[in-house]
Amino acid sequence: MRKMKLAVFDLDGTLWFNNSHVDLVYSYYKLKKIHIYAIKIIGRLSHKYHMKFLNKKFESIPDEFINNFNPKWNENILSILNAEKDAGTNVIVITNAPERISNFAQNKLDVPVYHAGIGKKDEVLKNFSYDELSVFSDNKTDYNIMEKADFVGLV
């Protein structure tokens, strides 16, 4: 009997080199390095304010800009994703990124992309049956799915 294999990939910092909605905000508003550094300092001082600022800016970005955006993909991880697909593994992406980015990623990667709250990706996994689980992530908050995995690829 063939094992049901599931490969789960994180989006931000794993498949997409940077944080997706930060990347989009910086690109859309054509922020200069000095602005980016100031925003990062604010982020170190107040994560809550930083995220509120970024989310507000992100929400005003038109869908057309997001749909035409060309992010910097991690080619090494993309090749693993494609190899898993070619091997017949059920491949999904679970991300904390906003829904518009999830939709964009799903169209670009041609795999299902699911949204989960931070530290709650295991809730998405409950909807899948598998005998073998591989997880690819750069995120310590993904520990709750990593501990269930037969293989973990840390990025």
Side-chain angles (χ1 to χ4, degrees):
M1 183 184 218
R2 184 175 168 193
K3 284 187 173 184
M4 295 287 294
K5 295 181 179 180
L6 177 65
V8 177
F9 290 80
D10 174 50
L11 183 62
D12 291 350
T14 302
L15 287 164
W16 190 319
F17 262 116
N18 300 310
N19 180 297
S20 55
H21 69 290
V22 171
D23 225 6
L24 282 158
V25 167
Y26 290 175
S27 181
Y28 181 74
Y29 292 101
K30 296 178 175 56
L31 296 177
K32 297 184 182 345
K33 285 191 188 255
I34 189 71
H35 296 119
I36 293 170
Y37 290 130
I39 292 167
K40 287 182 179 183
I41 289 170
I42 291 168
R44 297 271 187 218
L45 298 173
S46 172
H47 181 72
K48 182 180 175 182
Y49 178 77
H50 182 239
M51 291 310 297
K52 187 176 179 179
F53 168 81
L54 288 173
N55 288 333
K56 184 176 180 181
K57 290 294 186 188
F58 174 75
E59 288 306 318
S60 65
I61 297 174
D63 288 339
E64 182 179 354
F65 183 84
I66 293 171
N67 294 333
N68 292 314
F69 191 69
N70 187 20
K72 185 174 180 185
W73 296 103
N74 185 332
E75 296 297 331
N76 293 330
I77 303 301
L78 277 179
S79 68
I80 294 169
L81 180 144
N82 288 321
E84 291 286 348
K85 282 185 359 184
D86 292 345
T89 302
N90 187 13
V91 176
I92 64 171
V93 173
I94 307 176
T95 182
N96 308 126
E99 186 178 341
R100 293 193 300 157
I101 292 173
S102 298
N103 294 338
F104 168 82
Q106 184 166 297
N107 291 334
K108 293 290 183 183
L109 299 171
D110 195 31
V111 297
V113 177
Y114 300 92
H115 175 80
I118 295 171
K120 301 198 185 238
K121 291 183 180 180
D122 58 330
E123 292 178 11
V124 174
L125 276 185
K126 291 176 186 175
N127 298 313
F128 291 89
S129 296
Y130 55 87
D131 299 310
E132 191 175 300
L133 175 65
S134 300
V135 175
F136 299 86
S137 179
D138 72 318
N139 218 326
K140 64 184 175 189
T141 61
D142 291 343
Y143 178 76
N144 63 351
I145 61 172
M146 289 178 191
E147 67 183 0
K148 298 174 184 337
D150 300 289
F151 175 81
V152 175
L154 294 174
V155 180

Short mmCIF file of all heavy atoms in Angstrom, two decimals, residues 47-69:
data_model
loop_
_atom_site.label_atom_id
_atom_site.label_comp_id
_atom_site.label_asym_id
_atom_site.label_seq_id
_atom_site.Cartn_x
_atom_site.Cartn_y
_atom_site.Cartn_z
N HIS A 47 6.48 46.12 18.26
CA HIS A 47 6.04 45.19 17.22
C HIS A 47 4.56 45.44 16.85
O HIS A 47 4.20 45.41 15.68
CB HIS A 47 6.24 43.74 17.68
CG HIS A 47 5.84 42.74 16.66
ND1 HIS A 47 6.56 42.52 15.51
CD2 HIS A 47 4.76 41.91 16.61
CE1 HIS A 47 5.95 41.61 14.79
NE2 HIS A 47 4.87 41.21 15.43
N LYS A 48 3.75 45.70 17.85
CA LYS A 48 2.32 45.93 17.63
C LYS A 48 2.09 47.14 16.71
O LYS A 48 1.33 47.06 15.74
CB LYS A 48 1.62 46.13 18.97
CG LYS A 48 0.13 46.32 18.86
CD LYS A 48 -0.49 46.51 20.24
CE LYS A 48 -1.96 46.82 20.14
NZ LYS A 48 -2.57 47.04 21.44
N TYR A 49 2.77 48.27 17.00
CA TYR A 49 2.62 49.47 16.18
C TYR A 49 3.17 49.22 14.77
O TYR A 49 2.57 49.64 13.78
CB TYR A 49 3.32 50.67 16.82
CG TYR A 49 3.22 51.91 15.98
CD1 TYR A 49 2.04 52.65 15.92
CD2 TYR A 49 4.29 52.33 15.20
CE1 TYR A 49 1.93 53.76 15.12
CE2 TYR A 49 4.20 53.45 14.39
CZ TYR A 49 3.02 54.17 14.35
OH TYR A 49 2.92 55.27 13.55
N HIS A 50 4.29 48.55 14.70
CA HIS A 50 4.93 48.24 13.43
C HIS A 50 3.97 47.44 12.54
O HIS A 50 3.77 47.78 11.36
CB HIS A 50 6.21 47.45 13.70
CG HIS A 50 6.99 47.11 12.49
ND1 HIS A 50 7.27 45.81 12.17
CD2 HIS A 50 7.55 47.87 11.53
CE1 HIS A 50 7.99 45.78 11.06
NE2 HIS A 50 8.16 47.02 10.65
N MET A 51 3.35 46.40 13.09
CA MET A 51 2.45 45.56 12.31
C MET A 51 1.18 46.34 11.92
O MET A 51 0.68 46.19 10.81
CB MET A 51 2.09 44.29 13.08
CG MET A 51 3.25 43.33 13.22
SD MET A 51 4.12 42.98 11.67
CE MET A 51 2.85 42.19 10.71
N LYS A 52 0.70 47.18 12.82
CA LYS A 52 -0.48 48.00 12.52
C LYS A 52 -0.17 48.93 11.34
O LYS A 52 -0.98 49.07 10.42
CB LYS A 52 -0.87 48.80 13.77
CG LYS A 52 -2.16 49.54 13.65
CD LYS A 52 -2.51 50.22 14.96
CE LYS A 52 -3.79 50.98 14.86
NZ LYS A 52 -4.16 51.63 16.11
N PHE A 53 1.01 49.56 11.37
CA PHE A 53 1.43 50.46 10.30
C PHE A 53 1.52 49.69 8.98
O PHE A 53 0.97 50.12 7.95
CB PHE A 53 2.80 51.08 10.65
CG PHE A 53 3.46 51.79 9.51
CD1 PHE A 53 3.10 53.07 9.17
CD2 PHE A 53 4.45 51.15 8.77
CE1 PHE A 53 3.71 53.74 8.11
CE2 PHE A 53 5.07 51.80 7.71
CZ PHE A 53 4.69 53.10 7.37
N LEU A 54 2.22 48.53 9.00
CA LEU A 54 2.40 47.76 7.77
C LEU A 54 1.06 47.25 7.22
O LEU A 54 0.83 47.30 6.01
CB LEU A 54 3.34 46.58 8.01
CG LEU A 54 4.81 46.95 8.20
CD1 LEU A 54 5.61 45.73 8.60
CD2 LEU A 54 5.39 47.59 6.94
N ASN A 55 0.20 46.77 8.10
CA ASN A 55 -1.10 46.26 7.65
C ASN A 55 -1.95 47.36 7.04
O ASN A 55 -2.61 47.15 6.02
CB ASN A 55 -1.84 45.58 8.80
CG ASN A 55 -1.22 44.25 9.16
OD1 ASN A 55 -0.60 43.59 8.32
ND2 ASN A 55 -1.38 43.85 10.40
N LYS A 56 -1.91 48.54 7.63
CA LYS A 56 -2.67 49.68 7.08
C LYS A 56 -2.15 50.04 5.69
O LYS A 56 -2.94 50.26 4.76
CB LYS A 56 -2.58 50.88 8.02
CG LYS A 56 -3.42 52.05 7.57
CD LYS A 56 -3.38 53.20 8.55
CE LYS A 56 -4.23 54.35 8.04
NZ LYS A 56 -4.22 55.48 8.91
N LYS A 57 -0.84 50.11 5.54
CA LYS A 57 -0.25 50.42 4.24
C LYS A 57 -0.55 49.32 3.23
O LYS A 57 -0.87 49.59 2.07
CB LYS A 57 1.28 50.61 4.36
CG LYS A 57 1.67 51.87 5.11
CD LYS A 57 1.27 53.09 4.35
CE LYS A 57 1.76 54.35 4.96
NZ LYS A 57 1.21 55.54 4.32
N PHE A 58 -0.46 48.06 3.67
CA PHE A 58 -0.71 46.93 2.78
C PHE A 58 -2.14 46.95 2.24
O PHE A 58 -2.38 46.70 1.07
CB PHE A 58 -0.44 45.60 3.51
CG PHE A 58 -0.82 44.41 2.68
CD1 PHE A 58 -0.02 44.00 1.62
CD2 PHE A 58 -1.99 43.71 2.94
CE1 PHE A 58 -0.39 42.92 0.84
CE2 PHE A 58 -2.36 42.62 2.17
CZ PHE A 58 -1.56 42.22 1.11
N GLU A 59 -3.10 47.27 3.10
CA GLU A 59 -4.51 47.25 2.71
C GLU A 59 -4.81 48.24 1.59
O GLU A 59 -5.76 48.03 0.84
CB GLU A 59 -5.41 47.51 3.91
CG GLU A 59 -5.47 46.34 4.87
CD GLU A 59 -5.85 45.02 4.22
OE1 GLU A 59 -6.78 45.00 3.38
OE2 GLU A 59 -5.21 44.00 4.55
N SER A 60 -4.02 49.30 1.46
CA SER A 60 -4.29 50.28 0.41
C SER A 60 -3.57 49.95 -0.91
O SER A 60 -3.73 50.68 -1.88
CB SER A 60 -3.91 51.68 0.89
OG SER A 60 -2.52 51.77 1.10
N ILE A 61 -2.84 48.86 -0.96
CA ILE A 61 -2.17 48.46 -2.20
C ILE A 61 -3.21 47.81 -3.12
O ILE A 61 -3.92 46.89 -2.71
CB ILE A 61 -1.01 47.47 -1.93
CG1 ILE A 61 0.07 48.16 -1.09
CG2 ILE A 61 -0.42 46.96 -3.25
CD1 ILE A 61 1.19 47.23 -0.64
N PRO A 62 -3.31 48.29 -4.37
CA PRO A 62 -4.30 47.71 -5.30
C PRO A 62 -4.00 46.25 -5.63
O PRO A 62 -2.83 45.84 -5.69
CB PRO A 62 -4.16 48.58 -6.56
CG PRO A 62 -3.33 49.74 -6.19
CD PRO A 62 -2.56 49.39 -4.96
N ASP A 63 -5.05 45.48 -5.85
CA ASP A 63 -4.90 44.07 -6.22
C ASP A 63 -4.04 43.91 -7.47
O ASP A 63 -3.25 42.97 -7.56
CB ASP A 63 -6.27 43.43 -6.48
CG ASP A 63 -7.06 43.22 -5.20
OD1 ASP A 63 -6.46 43.18 -4.11
OD2 ASP A 63 -8.30 43.08 -5.30
N GLU A 64 -4.19 44.81 -8.41
CA GLU A 64 -3.43 44.73 -9.66
C GLU A 64 -1.92 44.75 -9.38
O GLU A 64 -1.16 44.02 -10.00
CB GLU A 64 -3.81 45.87 -10.59
CG GLU A 64 -3.10 45.82 -11.93
CD GLU A 64 -3.52 46.94 -12.86
OE1 GLU A 64 -4.45 47.70 -12.53
OE2 GLU A 64 -2.90 47.06 -13.93
N PHE A 65 -1.49 45.60 -8.44
CA PHE A 65 -0.06 45.65 -8.10
C PHE A 65 0.39 44.32 -7.49
O PHE A 65 1.43 43.78 -7.87
CB PHE A 65 0.23 46.79 -7.11
CG PHE A 65 1.68 46.93 -6.79
CD1 PHE A 65 2.52 47.66 -7.63
CD2 PHE A 65 2.23 46.32 -5.67
CE1 PHE A 65 3.87 47.78 -7.34
CE2 PHE A 65 3.58 46.44 -5.38
CZ PHE A 65 4.40 47.17 -6.22
N ILE A 66 -0.42 43.78 -6.59
CA ILE A 66 -0.06 42.50 -5.97
C ILE A 66 -0.01 41.39 -7.02
O ILE A 66 0.95 40.61 -7.05
CB ILE A 66 -1.07 42.14 -4.85
CG1 ILE A 66 -0.92 43.15 -3.70
CG2 ILE A 66 -0.86 40.71 -4.34
CD1 ILE A 66 -1.99 43.05 -2.64
N ASN A 67 -0.99 41.33 -7.88
CA ASN A 67 -1.06 40.27 -8.89
C ASN A 67 0.07 40.34 -9.92
O ASN A 67 0.40 39.33 -10.54
CB ASN A 67 -2.41 40.29 -9.59
CG ASN A 67 -3.53 39.94 -8.65
OD1 ASN A 67 -3.35 39.23 -7.66
ND2 ASN A 67 -4.73 40.44 -8.94
N ASN A 68 0.66 41.52 -10.09
CA ASN A 68 1.76 41.68 -11.04
C ASN A 68 3.13 41.73 -10.37
O ASN A 68 4.14 41.92 -11.04
CB ASN A 68 1.55 42.93 -11.90
CG ASN A 68 0.37 42.78 -12.82
OD1 ASN A 68 0.21 41.76 -13.48
ND2 ASN A 68 -0.50 43.78 -12.84
N PHE A 69 3.14 41.58 -9.05
CA PHE A 69 4.39 41.67 -8.30
C PHE A 69 5.29 40.48 -8.62
O PHE A 69 4.83 39.37 -8.81
CB PHE A 69 4.10 41.72 -6.80
CG PHE A 69 5.29 42.08 -5.96
CD1 PHE A 69 5.83 43.35 -6.01
CD2 PHE A 69 5.88 41.13 -5.13
CE1 PHE A 69 6.93 43.69 -5.24
CE2 PHE A 69 6.97 41.46 -4.35
CZ PHE A 69 7.50 42.74 -4.40
#
